Amino acid sequence: MPLLVVLCFLLLSLSLFLLMDRLWPLPVESFEQRHFAQVVVDKEGLPLRAFADGQGVWRYPTTVDQVSPLYLQALINYEDRYYYQHLGINPVSIIRAAWQRIKHGRFISGASTLTMQVARIMQNHDKTLTGKVGQMFRAMQLEWHYSKTEILNYYLNYAPFGGPLEGVEAAAHAYLGKSAAQLSHAEAALLAVMPQAPSYYRPDRYPERARQARDKVLDRLAGDGIWSSKTVREAKQEPVYAQYKTRPMRAALLARELRQQNPQQALIKTTLNRELQTELEWLVKDYAEDSGQGMSAAVMVVDNKTMAVRAYVGSADFFSDTRAGQVDMIQALRSPGSTLKPFIYGLALDQGLIHSQSLLLDVPTSFDGYRPHNFSEHFSGPVSASAALLRSLNMPAVQLLDAIGPEPFYAALHNAGLNLQLPDGAQPNLSMALGGGGVTMAELIEVYSALGRNGQAGKLRFIPDQAKTERPLLSPGAAWIVQDILSQGNLGQRLYHDDLNTGTNLAFKTGTSYGGRDAWAIGVNQHYTLGVWVGRPDGAFVSDNTGRLGAVPLLRQVHHILSPESISPVKPDNVQLTTICWPLGTAENLQNKSDCHRKKQAYTLNGITPPSRQDHLSHALQSARVSVLVNNQGKRVTPQCYKGQTQRQEMAVWPLVLEPWLPGRWHRDELLPEFAEDCLLWHSQNRLEIVGIHPNATLYPEAGSRQLPTIELNVAGSGGTHYWFLNDQLISSHDKKVELKNLTPGQYQLRVIDQSAQQASLNFQVAM
């Protein structure tokens, strides 16, 4: 009979509960209406930037599986040790609390379970008997409708932690600067007790109160045997130190972009390294401040193996209006300067146009009316492909781009992910070699990664689950040779080498746009691809802001921070070291000994040693194994001046345009047989000649003066534009005339080259 009564009572109670549950359902919408703050975190889950919800509350989503087990141990064993056994209320705790209230006239210990605390968070109740009963009813409803894990997840996300903070994840980030998954024993105990009195126990304001509360939790855990005495003793020695940072601001520009791309995603995990990001942000800020008013800078670091972005500093100071800190210079369209030149050389290698030591021409040249100049306004004459790339000479790069073709070059970059923006209506042209067009640092780094990834350009990855994508740009051999050339530059002091040598473990290339508006330095090795930009976001002219002076020092500091172990890239099997000879450019063993004027050690692809290229020169002016007519005495003749018996004689010659920079023994007139007497007059009448002073003349100032008057010179034998050089320095590139002013005493050599590459020279001296 008693059992029947009990069963009837239980059945009646259950029916009453179900009726009340239907009449007063759980207000779960109160949770659903509370939006989480959006937080962008690094690859370890550390916060980079957070965006509060609509009410200004900071609440970061988490689950039981994502928080530290230490925190769960501290929370459950201190707040509700029978959490997994009761049905929302703990009758034993309620009876104990009531007895203590009667005996002592006040509450000694609470009776609230974690489920009851969730009920109070869901719907606040008065601190009356009626309110307490209502809270217990809601707790039982929660247990009826949700699992223990789901209820605990509510607590982890919505428990109060002082001010606008709700949830243990937001509290861990704000007070401790870490995720709730990384808490120590002491930190777990502190956060476990804080919701009892969030404002009273705030560790940033009241560290001593917080310490006492924490130690109380630790003592309970030691007494219950949850944690060992040694563990608790060591945890108590940990000081309570906390700051209050609800708004971390690292990688602010990237976080803004990712938030716009994922507006509904509460937690956005990135590939960044917060420690590296923080260090580089401070570095870039200091560097920009030292660079001048209005200057900004940007830095990106990419892991070549995964193409994961490890650091993203889009501006010098996000909060600076004078430096346009909210303009992302990593995504801004800017002139690339000379940064695209390595890919001209790489594609030329793949197409068999050059090897690493091919003879190129750094001389004044017109490409169908396009007349580029070097940054220094000087020319070097004969240069190897390696030296030309290292020294970022313009003429050789344009020479190779002309051979490749602007359209194929543009298409190769586009297919690899770099969308070079040309002016409206413009077609791909030779100016691309010198910075014509616009690029972003992000795309520039993608194609540069190919040099450290066997020729495969990777797509940047900002979030871990982003698919890895790569596109072919160069062959592994061409990528290795270009990287080897660029690694010969020294980051400490930029050195240029004409032959192969051992350099740093970072290959890098600089670039400078017109007027110093953009200074670039892009570095790559087997570990990373690094990008540096320095300039003014408004595009204003900046004096002396070059890649070498403005960007390389910052690149050097970034590389020093990373300082990965140096690993030399493995040379592909089809890259071979071969002895070649100038001026022909082919392998030594394929030439006559007399044709090998200068030997070099060159890296070649697939054993191919292409001959020297001068596509833009007429055949008569190119370096080649030429054939000349000689008479029976071995004197040179031409059909126009000699009608007798002749024979052909072959020998290697240099391009005529290089003679101002060549030793006299390699001039064409010295290499070729001298003209027969009958042909001397004909030859002299068809040569370019400087008119105005005699060869080897000595010039004096006028009587009574210590200054030489202006000397006007002219040329005979050609027309059009002429390039005048005084002691191998360009002094004029206009018509047939040139004026020499303010000459000081000394020896001088004057040379002139016309558009057809004819040249003439004479020596003179100035005396006082």
Side-chain angles (χ1 to χ4, degrees), residues 20-46:
M20 294 175 65
D21 180 64
R22 179 177 291 273
L23 295 175
W24 293 285
L26 278 169
V28 291
E29 67 277 359
S30 67
F31 282 148
E32 296 171 353
Q33 291 172 356
R34 302 183 193 185
H35 299 291
F36 287 103
Q38 276 190 293
V39 59
V40 181
V41 300
D42 79 342
K43 63 187 182 71
E44 303 296 339
L46 300 176

PDB file of all heavy atoms in Angstrom, residues 20-46:
ATOM      1  N   MET A  20       2.792  22.159 -16.028  1.00  0.00           N
ATOM      2  CA  MET A  20       3.432  23.454 -15.793  1.00  0.00           C
ATOM      3  C   MET A  20       4.494  23.736 -16.867  1.00  0.00           C
ATOM      4  O   MET A  20       4.677  24.882 -17.285  1.00  0.00           O
ATOM      5  CB  MET A  20       4.078  23.476 -14.407  1.00  0.00           C
ATOM      6  CG  MET A  20       3.070  23.396 -13.261  1.00  0.00           C
ATOM      7  SD  MET A  20       3.874  23.280 -11.655  1.00  0.00           S
ATOM      8  CE  MET A  20       4.682  24.873 -11.573  1.00  0.00           C
ATOM      9  N   ASP A  21       5.157  22.680 -17.315  1.00  0.00           N
ATOM     10  CA  ASP A  21       6.160  22.844 -18.362  1.00  0.00           C
ATOM     11  C   ASP A  21       5.516  23.326 -19.651  1.00  0.00           C
ATOM     12  O   ASP A  21       6.103  24.131 -20.381  1.00  0.00           O
ATOM     13  CB  ASP A  21       6.890  21.518 -18.589  1.00  0.00           C
ATOM     14  CG  ASP A  21       7.959  21.626 -19.671  1.00  0.00           C
ATOM     15  OD1 ASP A  21       8.926  22.372 -19.463  1.00  0.00           O
ATOM     16  OD2 ASP A  21       7.813  20.974 -20.724  1.00  0.00           O
ATOM     17  N   ARG A  22       4.297  22.830 -19.905  1.00  0.00           N
ATOM     18  CA  ARG A  22       3.598  23.269 -21.104  1.00  0.00           C
ATOM     19  C   ARG A  22       3.078  24.693 -20.953  1.00  0.00           C
ATOM     20  O   ARG A  22       3.117  25.485 -21.896  1.00  0.00           O
ATOM     21  CB  ARG A  22       2.449  22.304 -21.409  1.00  0.00           C
ATOM     22  CG  ARG A  22       1.617  22.678 -22.639  1.00  0.00           C
ATOM     23  CD  ARG A  22       0.551  21.631 -22.896  1.00  0.00           C
ATOM     24  NE  ARG A  22       1.141  20.387 -23.339  1.00  0.00           N
ATOM     25  CZ  ARG A  22       1.415  20.100 -24.616  1.00  0.00           C
ATOM     26  NH1 ARG A  22       1.171  20.989 -25.560  1.00  0.00           N
ATOM     27  NH2 ARG A  22       1.932  18.942 -24.941  1.00  0.00           N
ATOM     28  N   LEU A  23       2.578  25.021 -19.736  1.00  0.00           N
ATOM     29  CA  LEU A  23       2.015  26.351 -19.498  1.00  0.00           C
ATOM     30  C   LEU A  23       3.093  27.426 -19.402  1.00  0.00           C
ATOM     31  O   LEU A  23       2.880  28.559 -19.828  1.00  0.00           O
ATOM     32  CB  LEU A  23       1.174  26.344 -18.213  1.00  0.00           C
ATOM     33  CG  LEU A  23      -0.084  25.474 -18.248  1.00  0.00           C
ATOM     34  CD1 LEU A  23      -0.756  25.456 -16.878  1.00  0.00           C
ATOM     35  CD2 LEU A  23      -1.059  25.997 -19.304  1.00  0.00           C
ATOM     36  N   TRP A  24       4.233  27.070 -18.813  1.00  0.00           N
ATOM     37  CA  TRP A  24       5.331  28.037 -18.648  1.00  0.00           C
ATOM     38  C   TRP A  24       6.615  27.449 -19.241  1.00  0.00           C
ATOM     39  O   TRP A  24       7.505  26.987 -18.521  1.00  0.00           O
ATOM     40  CB  TRP A  24       5.536  28.348 -17.159  1.00  0.00           C
ATOM     41  CG  TRP A  24       4.374  29.087 -16.557  1.00  0.00           C
ATOM     42  CD1 TRP A  24       4.047  30.378 -16.729  1.00  0.00           C
ATOM     43  CD2 TRP A  24       3.398  28.520 -15.682  1.00  0.00           C
ATOM     44  NE1 TRP A  24       2.923  30.705 -16.019  1.00  0.00           N
ATOM     45  CE2 TRP A  24       2.489  29.572 -15.355  1.00  0.00           C
ATOM     46  CE3 TRP A  24       3.175  27.242 -15.119  1.00  0.00           C
ATOM     47  CZ2 TRP A  24       1.403  29.369 -14.512  1.00  0.00           C
ATOM     48  CZ3 TRP A  24       2.096  27.065 -14.288  1.00  0.00           C
ATOM     49  CH2 TRP A  24       1.216  28.118 -13.992  1.00  0.00           C
ATOM     50  N   PRO A  25       6.716  27.423 -20.575  1.00  0.00           N
ATOM     51  CA  PRO A  25       7.897  26.817 -21.217  1.00  0.00           C
ATOM     52  C   PRO A  25       9.165  27.614 -20.903  1.00  0.00           C
ATOM     53  O   PRO A  25       9.111  28.784 -20.525  1.00  0.00           O
ATOM     54  CB  PRO A  25       7.563  26.879 -22.706  1.00  0.00           C
ATOM     55  CG  PRO A  25       6.591  28.008 -22.829  1.00  0.00           C
ATOM     56  CD  PRO A  25       5.782  27.994 -21.566  1.00  0.00           C
ATOM     57  N   LEU A  26      10.276  26.955 -21.086  1.00  0.00           N
ATOM     58  CA  LEU A  26      11.560  27.611 -20.847  1.00  0.00           C
ATOM     59  C   LEU A  26      11.757  28.797 -21.799  1.00  0.00           C
ATOM     60  O   LEU A  26      11.505  28.672 -23.003  1.00  0.00           O
ATOM     61  CB  LEU A  26      12.712  26.619 -21.078  1.00  0.00           C
ATOM     62  CG  LEU A  26      13.056  25.663 -19.944  1.00  0.00           C
ATOM     63  CD1 LEU A  26      14.007  24.591 -20.450  1.00  0.00           C
ATOM     64  CD2 LEU A  26      13.667  26.395 -18.775  1.00  0.00           C
ATOM     65  N   PRO A  27      12.187  29.924 -21.272  1.00  0.00           N
ATOM     66  CA  PRO A  27      12.439  31.098 -22.135  1.00  0.00           C
ATOM     67  C   PRO A  27      13.804  31.014 -22.823  1.00  0.00           C
ATOM     68  O   PRO A  27      14.674  31.870 -22.642  1.00  0.00           O
ATOM     69  CB  PRO A  27      12.372  32.257 -21.145  1.00  0.00           C
ATOM     70  CG  PRO A  27      12.858  31.682 -19.867  1.00  0.00           C
ATOM     71  CD  PRO A  27      12.383  30.257 -19.840  1.00  0.00           C
ATOM     72  N   VAL A  28      13.982  29.941 -23.578  1.00  0.00           N
ATOM     73  CA  VAL A  28      15.292  29.746 -24.215  1.00  0.00           C
ATOM     74  C   VAL A  28      15.610  30.845 -25.218  1.00  0.00           C
ATOM     75  O   VAL A  28      16.768  31.062 -25.567  1.00  0.00           O
ATOM     76  CB  VAL A  28      15.357  28.364 -24.910  1.00  0.00           C
ATOM     77  CG1 VAL A  28      15.376  27.245 -23.899  1.00  0.00           C
ATOM     78  CG2 VAL A  28      14.208  28.204 -25.890  1.00  0.00           C
ATOM     79  N   GLU A  29      14.557  31.560 -25.679  1.00  0.00           N
ATOM     80  CA  GLU A  29      14.828  32.640 -26.619  1.00  0.00           C
ATOM     81  C   GLU A  29      15.686  33.731 -25.995  1.00  0.00           C
ATOM     82  O   GLU A  29      16.347  34.502 -26.701  1.00  0.00           O
ATOM     83  CB  GLU A  29      13.523  33.234 -27.151  1.00  0.00           C
ATOM     84  CG  GLU A  29      12.678  33.967 -26.119  1.00  0.00           C
ATOM     85  CD  GLU A  29      11.814  33.019 -25.304  1.00  0.00           C
ATOM     86  OE1 GLU A  29      11.857  31.796 -25.566  1.00  0.00           O
ATOM     87  OE2 GLU A  29      11.083  33.505 -24.423  1.00  0.00           O
ATOM     88  N   SER A  30      15.708  33.784 -24.672  1.00  0.00           N
ATOM     89  CA  SER A  30      16.560  34.779 -24.020  1.00  0.00           C
ATOM     90  C   SER A  30      18.028  34.495 -24.309  1.00  0.00           C
ATOM     91  O   SER A  30      18.853  35.406 -24.375  1.00  0.00           O
ATOM     92  CB  SER A  30      16.323  34.788 -22.511  1.00  0.00           C
ATOM     93  OG  SER A  30      16.757  33.566 -21.921  1.00  0.00           O
ATOM     94  N   PHE A  31      18.369  33.215 -24.460  1.00  0.00           N
ATOM     95  CA  PHE A  31      19.718  32.859 -24.879  1.00  0.00           C
ATOM     96  C   PHE A  31      19.914  33.109 -26.374  1.00  0.00           C
ATOM     97  O   PHE A  31      20.926  33.647 -26.813  1.00  0.00           O
ATOM     98  CB  PHE A  31      20.017  31.397 -24.570  1.00  0.00           C
ATOM     99  CG  PHE A  31      20.349  31.139 -23.124  1.00  0.00           C
ATOM    100  CD1 PHE A  31      20.008  29.938 -22.527  1.00  0.00           C
ATOM    101  CD2 PHE A  31      21.003  32.085 -22.370  1.00  0.00           C
ATOM    102  CE1 PHE A  31      20.311  29.688 -21.205  1.00  0.00           C
ATOM    103  CE2 PHE A  31      21.312  31.847 -21.036  1.00  0.00           C
ATOM    104  CZ  PHE A  31      20.964  30.646 -20.456  1.00  0.00           C
ATOM    105  N   GLU A  32      18.922  32.708 -27.144  1.00  0.00           N
ATOM    106  CA  GLU A  32      19.037  32.814 -28.589  1.00  0.00           C
ATOM    107  C   GLU A  32      19.128  34.257 -29.058  1.00  0.00           C
ATOM    108  O   GLU A  32      19.714  34.551 -30.102  1.00  0.00           O
ATOM    109  CB  GLU A  32      17.849  32.122 -29.258  1.00  0.00           C
ATOM    110  CG  GLU A  32      17.815  30.613 -28.997  1.00  0.00           C
ATOM    111  CD  GLU A  32      16.524  29.975 -29.478  1.00  0.00           C
ATOM    112  OE1 GLU A  32      15.624  30.746 -29.887  1.00  0.00           O
ATOM    113  OE2 GLU A  32      16.423  28.749 -29.450  1.00  0.00           O
ATOM    114  N   GLN A  33      18.561  35.184 -28.270  1.00  0.00           N
ATOM    115  CA  GLN A  33      18.605  36.597 -28.632  1.00  0.00           C
ATOM    116  C   GLN A  33      19.935  37.247 -28.261  1.00  0.00           C
ATOM    117  O   GLN A  33      20.213  38.366 -28.664  1.00  0.00           O
ATOM    118  CB  GLN A  33      17.452  37.344 -27.951  1.00  0.00           C
ATOM    119  CG  GLN A  33      16.081  36.964 -28.492  1.00  0.00           C
ATOM    120  CD  GLN A  33      14.957  37.560 -27.678  1.00  0.00           C
ATOM    121  OE1 GLN A  33      15.185  38.209 -26.656  1.00  0.00           O
ATOM    122  NE2 GLN A  33      13.728  37.338 -28.126  1.00  0.00           N
ATOM    123  N   ARG A  34      20.728  36.557 -27.476  1.00  0.00           N
ATOM    124  CA  ARG A  34      22.020  37.109 -27.080  1.00  0.00           C
ATOM    125  C   ARG A  34      23.074  36.653 -28.093  1.00  0.00           C
ATOM    126  O   ARG A  34      23.469  35.501 -28.108  1.00  0.00           O
ATOM    127  CB  ARG A  34      22.404  36.626 -25.676  1.00  0.00           C
ATOM    128  CG  ARG A  34      21.385  36.978 -24.606  1.00  0.00           C
ATOM    129  CD  ARG A  34      21.891  36.519 -23.259  1.00  0.00           C
ATOM    130  NE  ARG A  34      20.836  36.551 -22.253  1.00  0.00           N
ATOM    131  CZ  ARG A  34      21.025  36.299 -20.956  1.00  0.00           C
ATOM    132  NH1 ARG A  34      22.235  35.987 -20.520  1.00  0.00           N
ATOM    133  NH2 ARG A  34      20.022  36.344 -20.108  1.00  0.00           N
ATOM    134  N   HIS A  35      23.491  37.572 -28.897  1.00  0.00           N
ATOM    135  CA  HIS A  35      24.455  37.235 -29.945  1.00  0.00           C
ATOM    136  C   HIS A  35      25.867  37.207 -29.368  1.00  0.00           C
ATOM    137  O   HIS A  35      26.188  37.922 -28.425  1.00  0.00           O
ATOM    138  CB  HIS A  35      24.377  38.241 -31.084  1.00  0.00           C
ATOM    139  CG  HIS A  35      23.037  38.286 -31.743  1.00  0.00           C
ATOM    140  ND1 HIS A  35      22.560  37.262 -32.505  1.00  0.00           N
ATOM    141  CD2 HIS A  35      22.079  39.241 -31.744  1.00  0.00           C
ATOM    142  CE1 HIS A  35      21.364  37.558 -32.959  1.00  0.00           C
ATOM    143  NE2 HIS A  35      21.036  38.760 -32.504  1.00  0.00           N
ATOM    144  N   PHE A  36      26.673  36.379 -29.962  1.00  0.00           N
ATOM    145  CA  PHE A  36      28.073  36.320 -29.552  1.00  0.00           C
ATOM    146  C   PHE A  36      28.859  37.452 -30.212  1.00  0.00           C
ATOM    147  O   PHE A  36      28.543  37.885 -31.321  1.00  0.00           O
ATOM    148  CB  PHE A  36      28.696  34.980 -29.946  1.00  0.00           C
ATOM    149  CG  PHE A  36      28.230  33.833 -29.112  1.00  0.00           C
ATOM    150  CD1 PHE A  36      27.295  32.939 -29.611  1.00  0.00           C
ATOM    151  CD2 PHE A  36      28.711  33.656 -27.832  1.00  0.00           C
ATOM    152  CE1 PHE A  36      26.863  31.877 -28.842  1.00  0.00           C
ATOM    153  CE2 PHE A  36      28.286  32.594 -27.057  1.00  0.00           C
ATOM    154  CZ  PHE A  36      27.348  31.703 -27.560  1.00  0.00           C
ATOM    155  N   ALA A  37      29.860  37.924 -29.510  1.00  0.00           N
ATOM    156  CA  ALA A  37      30.818  38.828 -30.136  1.00  0.00           C
ATOM    157  C   ALA A  37      31.578  38.037 -31.194  1.00  0.00           C
ATOM    158  O   ALA A  37      31.764  36.837 -31.072  1.00  0.00           O
ATOM    159  CB  ALA A  37      31.778  39.386 -29.094  1.00  0.00           C
ATOM    160  N   GLN A  38      31.990  38.737 -32.254  1.00  0.00           N
ATOM    161  CA  GLN A  38      32.844  38.090 -33.246  1.00  0.00           C
ATOM    162  C   GLN A  38      34.286  38.256 -32.816  1.00  0.00           C
ATOM    163  O   GLN A  38      34.736  39.366 -32.521  1.00  0.00           O
ATOM    164  CB  GLN A  38      32.637  38.701 -34.634  1.00  0.00           C
ATOM    165  CG  GLN A  38      31.450  38.121 -35.385  1.00  0.00           C
ATOM    166  CD  GLN A  38      31.447  38.572 -36.825  1.00  0.00           C
ATOM    167  OE1 GLN A  38      31.260  39.736 -37.114  1.00  0.00           O
ATOM    168  NE2 GLN A  38      31.658  37.638 -37.740  1.00  0.00           N
ATOM    169  N   VAL A  39      35.001  37.174 -32.782  1.00  0.00           N
ATOM    170  CA  VAL A  39      36.407  37.239 -32.388  1.00  0.00           C
ATOM    171  C   VAL A  39      37.243  36.529 -33.444  1.00  0.00           C
ATOM    172  O   VAL A  39      36.897  35.444 -33.914  1.00  0.00           O
ATOM    173  CB  VAL A  39      36.643  36.627 -30.987  1.00  0.00           C
ATOM    174  CG1 VAL A  39      36.200  35.175 -30.944  1.00  0.00           C
ATOM    175  CG2 VAL A  39      38.103  36.741 -30.587  1.00  0.00           C
ATOM    176  N   VAL A  40      38.304  37.192 -33.830  1.00  0.00           N
ATOM    177  CA  VAL A  40      39.260  36.641 -34.789  1.00  0.00           C
ATOM    178  C   VAL A  40      40.482  36.196 -33.994  1.00  0.00           C
ATOM    179  O   VAL A  40      41.050  36.985 -33.229  1.00  0.00           O
ATOM    180  CB  VAL A  40      39.652  37.687 -35.846  1.00  0.00           C
ATOM    181  CG1 VAL A  40      40.632  37.085 -36.858  1.00  0.00           C
ATOM    182  CG2 VAL A  40      38.415  38.214 -36.556  1.00  0.00           C
ATOM    183  N   VAL A  41      40.873  34.942 -34.153  1.00  0.00           N
ATOM    184  CA  VAL A  41      41.957  34.383 -33.349  1.00  0.00           C
ATOM    185  C   VAL A  41      43.068  33.886 -34.254  1.00  0.00           C
ATOM    186  O   VAL A  41      42.886  33.701 -35.458  1.00  0.00           O
ATOM    187  CB  VAL A  41      41.455  33.231 -32.456  1.00  0.00           C
ATOM    188  CG1 VAL A  41      40.369  33.731 -31.504  1.00  0.00           C
ATOM    189  CG2 VAL A  41      40.925  32.070 -33.304  1.00  0.00           C
ATOM    190  N   ASP A  42      44.240  33.657 -33.647  1.00  0.00           N
ATOM    191  CA  ASP A  42      45.375  33.146 -34.414  1.00  0.00           C
ATOM    192  C   ASP A  42      45.308  31.633 -34.514  1.00  0.00           C
ATOM    193  O   ASP A  42      44.321  31.003 -34.102  1.00  0.00           O
ATOM    194  CB  ASP A  42      46.692  33.635 -33.815  1.00  0.00           C
ATOM    195  CG  ASP A  42      47.120  32.829 -32.583  1.00  0.00           C
ATOM    196  OD1 ASP A  42      46.271  32.127 -31.986  1.00  0.00           O
ATOM    197  OD2 ASP A  42      48.303  32.903 -32.213  1.00  0.00           O
ATOM    198  N   LYS A  43      46.355  31.027 -35.015  1.00  0.00           N
ATOM    199  CA  LYS A  43      46.326  29.584 -35.261  1.00  0.00           C
ATOM    200  C   LYS A  43      46.245  28.763 -33.982  1.00  0.00           C
ATOM    201  O   LYS A  43      45.839  27.604 -34.010  1.00  0.00           O
ATOM    202  CB  LYS A  43      47.556  29.157 -36.060  1.00  0.00           C
ATOM    203  CG  LYS A  43      48.895  29.366 -35.387  1.00  0.00           C
ATOM    204  CD  LYS A  43      50.048  29.061 -36.337  1.00  0.00           C
ATOM    205  CE  LYS A  43      51.397  29.215 -35.683  1.00  0.00           C
ATOM    206  NZ  LYS A  43      51.670  28.151 -34.705  1.00  0.00           N
ATOM    207  N   GLU A  44      46.604  29.361 -32.842  1.00  0.00           N
ATOM    208  CA  GLU A  44      46.519  28.676 -31.555  1.00  0.00           C
ATOM    209  C   GLU A  44      45.258  29.037 -30.780  1.00  0.00           C
ATOM    210  O   GLU A  44      45.086  28.629 -29.638  1.00  0.00           O
ATOM    211  CB  GLU A  44      47.748  29.012 -30.703  1.00  0.00           C
ATOM    212  CG  GLU A  44      49.076  28.675 -31.352  1.00  0.00           C
ATOM    213  CD  GLU A  44      49.246  27.193 -31.593  1.00  0.00           C
ATOM    214  OE1 GLU A  44      48.546  26.403 -30.919  1.00  0.00           O
ATOM    215  OE2 GLU A  44      50.058  26.807 -32.459  1.00  0.00           O
ATOM    216  N   GLY A  45      44.391  29.833 -31.394  1.00  0.00           N
ATOM    217  CA  GLY A  45      43.169  30.242 -30.712  1.00  0.00           C
ATOM    218  C   GLY A  45      43.323  31.493 -29.870  1.00  0.00           C
ATOM    219  O   GLY A  45      42.394  31.881 -29.152  1.00  0.00           O
ATOM    220  N   LEU A  46      44.467  32.156 -29.937  1.00  0.00           N
ATOM    221  CA  LEU A  46      44.678  33.392 -29.188  1.00  0.00           C
ATOM    222  C   LEU A  46      44.016  34.551 -29.917  1.00  0.00           C
ATOM    223  O   LEU A  46      44.068  34.645 -31.144  1.00  0.00           O
ATOM    224  CB  LEU A  46      46.173  33.658 -29.021  1.00  0.00           C
ATOM    225  CG  LEU A  46      46.956  32.576 -28.270  1.00  0.00           C
ATOM    226  CD1 LEU A  46      48.442  32.903 -28.261  1.00  0.00           C
ATOM    227  CD2 LEU A  46      46.437  32.430 -26.851  1.00  0.00           C
TER     228      LEU A  46
END
